Amino acid sequence: MTELVLNDLAHSPLDGDWEYALRIPSSPFGPGIVRAHVRAVLTRHRTNPTVLDNAQLVASEPVTNSLACTRDSIAVRLVRTGGRLRLSVWDSSPYPPPRWPGPVSGPELDAESGRGLWLTRACADEWGHYLLINGRRNGGGKEVWAEWRTPDA
């Protein structure tokens, strides 16, 4: 029997659109588990190394914020479609992430928190959030997302 090697495929299924989802309990292990999940998925799909590193870094931020504002489980999705990668984190809290004024300003140098969204803004091509109202993912909450264009590796 001949062993199939992914690099030998003319059109690999890894090159198409895909979606992965992960649900994690409220746990201090959450950010690390999500970083490992993001790295594993994006490595297997041969994602551009810069996009991979940025997505892994950004993944920790909304997960950490979600775990700080709710005791419920959270959901993480990675979706690649149309040459774009979207990472989204859902939690049950209806409170949006804080925004600071101006496109460049960020947290104060001596602030104990607040750098996560600044990093997200700096590392993602786009990011945002939306509130969910009844009927989707436990009937509400919010989803924070970040997107990147996915050039060939």
Side-chain angles (χ1 to χ4, degrees):
M1 188 183 299
T2 304
E3 183 177 321
L4 179 63
V5 178
L6 288 177
N7 290 336
D8 294 339
L9 296 175
H11 176 70
S12 171
L14 300 179
D15 297 331
D17 294 345
W18 45 259
E19 178 176 348
Y20 290 82
L22 176 68
R23 189 168 193 104
I24 62 170
S26 182
S27 163
F29 299 125
I33 290 168
V34 170
R35 280 191 307 273
H37 172 73
V38 167
R39 177 157 292 280
V41 168
L42 298 182
T43 297
R44 294 293 287 177
H45 282 280
R46 299 183 303 240
T47 302
N48 174 282
T50 301
V51 172
L52 188 153
D53 289 342
N54 285 338
Q56 186 180 16
L57 175 63
V58 167
S60 293
E61 301 310 325
V63 169
T64 299
N65 291 345
S66 290
L67 293 172
C69 71
T70 181
R71 295 190 192 282
D72 298 331
S73 62
I74 64 172
V76 178
R77 282 187 333 141
L78 276 173
V79 178
R80 180 172 177 247
T81 185
R84 296 193 65 81
L85 172 70
R86 178 178 275 217
L87 166 78
S88 60
V89 177
W90 170 86
D91 66 50
S92 62
S93 171
Y95 301 107
R99 297 238 183 206
W100 50 85
V104 181
S105 65
E108 296 295 323
L109 292 176
D110 59 350
E112 292 183 21
S113 64
R115 289 179 179 79
L117 292 175
W118 184 82
L119 278 172
T120 299
R121 177 182 276 178
C123 293
D125 293 335
E126 295 180 52
W127 79 278
H129 77 280
Y130 51 91
L131 300 180
L132 301 169
I133 301 171
N134 296 333
R136 181 154 182 235
R137 299 217 188 143
N138 293 337
K142 71 175 170 299
E143 200 159 296
V144 177
W145 58 269
E147 277 190 358
W148 296 265
R149 288 177 294 287
T150 53
D152 295 331

